[in-house]
Amino acid sequence: MREPVSFRVLRVVGLTLLTLFVLGPIYVMVSSSLKPLGDVQGKFTWIPSTITFDPFIDIWSTVPLARYFGNSLVISLLATVCSVVLAISAAYAISRYRFHGRSAFRITVLSTQMFPGILFLLPLYLIFVNIGQLTGFALQGSRLALVITYLTFSLPFAIWMLVGYFDSIPRELDEAAHVDGAGPIGALVRVVLPSAAPGIAAVAIYSFMTAWGETLFASVMTNQDSRTLAIGLREYSTQTNVYWNEVMAASLVVSVPVVVGFLLLQRYLVQGLTAGAVK
């Protein structure tokens, strides 16, 4: 049955308005990053009267953006790797073995997602400070502190998602690997992980994006040396001026790793999320 013409027109109009709503801020960001500072601070114009690439050059000298970029990259990658490795180990144990407290552990992992992140800010900060006072190891203000902090958010979701994904993989595959002489680790590496590649990719993307753009904990847990990009962008605003064109240019640079990674792995992300939700 063909759709009514009015419905098709309404759908086209709705999708067009939605596209403009999404692309409008992106266009403003790109156009503002190509304008001199005076044009950005003056009356807004949709088409830049003068196009300059100086903001993309000045962003590296106005603030130590390269150091912030390196901190964010190291923290995000470490948090992603740790989250994936720990989630795979925990999810495989929950999915394949029966032990006391298994159900309670699954419920506890899922229940942690019910609490807002700000509830953990003060307890984590006090824990890191007390560890530093007792051991002499300055954990607060270090990149390791942020890695541990981000694991508290990404790891429960990663475990919960991979448990459902591992449950969908037939146990006969594990048994066949055992017959061939593989142990539990061998069966996990050779059989389960290749079959769960979309789910693992989805967990990795989620963990990386969570760490890359987080601001609340990064503003408290870092110092000048360990500051991340999300916090470093605030330094383009001074007491006397705000370098809006450099803010827009830096925002574009910051978004490049996440956008590129998402475009390259979006197929696995969609497969992982849909399969994990259904299975």
Side-chain angles (χ1 to χ4, degrees):
M1 182 177 180
R2 293 189 61 182
E3 298 176 347
V5 176
S6 59
F7 180 80
R8 284 184 288 173
V9 172
L10 182 62
R11 183 175 60 184
V12 171
V13 172
L15 291 176
T16 302
L17 293 176
L18 180 61
T19 302
L20 293 176
F21 179 78
V22 173
L23 296 180
I26 299 177
Y27 173 79
V28 172
M29 181 184 298
V30 174
S31 62
S32 299
S33 66
L34 298 174
K35 295 178 181 179
L37 182 59
D39 292 350
V40 179
Q41 292 177 332
K43 184 179 179 181
F44 175 77
T45 56
W46 288 98
I47 300 177
S49 58
T50 303
I51 296 180
T52 177
F53 292 94
D54 290 341
F56 288 93
I57 300 175
D58 296 337
I59 58 175
W60 306 99
S61 57
T62 303
V63 301
L65 190 65
R67 184 174 66 204
Y68 299 157
F69 195 95
N71 289 336
S72 291
L73 190 61
V74 170
I75 291 171
S76 300
L77 288 177
L78 284 177
T80 300
V81 172
C82 293
S83 179
V84 170
V85 172
L86 294 176
I88 289 174
S89 304
Y92 184 71
I94 295 173
S95 175
R96 291 300 192 262
Y97 298 99
R98 300 295 181 265
F99 52 87
H100 293 291
R102 175 176 175 269
S103 299
F105 180 77
R106 295 186 65 169
I107 295 174
T108 302
V109 167
L110 186 59
S111 64
T112 58
Q113 303 299 300
M114 300 171 57
F115 302 99
I118 195 172
L119 289 180
F120 302 99
L121 179 59
L122 183 58
L124 283 174
Y125 179 82
L126 293 177
I127 290 174
F128 293 152
V129 171
N130 290 331
I131 290 177
Q133 293 176 350
L134 293 175
T135 64
F137 180 72
L139 191 59
Q140 197 281 326
S142 65
R143 291 185 291 191
L144 179 60
L146 273 187
V147 173
I148 297 174
T149 301
Y150 293 151
L151 282 177
T152 62
F153 302 114
S154 60
L155 190 56
F157 173 80
I159 293 175
W160 173 75
M161 182 175 177
L162 287 181
V163 167
Y165 213 97
F166 288 166
D167 286 342
S168 67
I169 299 175
R171 295 178 181 271
E172 289 76 11
L173 296 178
D174 299 52
E175 296 173 357
H178 295 327
V179 171
D180 291 338
I185 302 300
L188 172 63
V189 174
R190 298 177 184 177
V191 177
V192 178
L193 293 187
S195 302
I200 296 173
V203 166
I205 295 173
Y206 170 80
S207 301
F208 186 87
M209 294 178 64
T210 299
W212 186 263
E214 200 278 327
T215 57
L216 175 62
F217 287 86
S219 62
V220 177
M221 300 292 186
T222 60
N223 52 30
Q224 186 64 30
D225 295 329
S226 59
R227 189 163 297 168
T228 59
L229 279 172
I231 305 303
L233 291 178
R234 299 186 305 185
E235 296 185 10
Y236 289 104
S237 175
T238 65
Q239 294 181 349
T240 58
N241 202 359
V242 179
Y243 300 96
W244 288 112
N245 55 347
E246 295 185 19
V247 171
M248 298 296 117
S251 299
L252 288 175
V253 172
V254 168
S255 62
V256 166
V258 176
V259 173
V260 172
F262 178 80
L263 292 177
L264 293 176
L265 300 174
Q266 62 176 337
R267 177 168 61 92
Y268 298 101
L269 178 63
V270 174
Q271 290 179 2
L273 291 177
T274 54
V278 175
K279 298 174 183 177

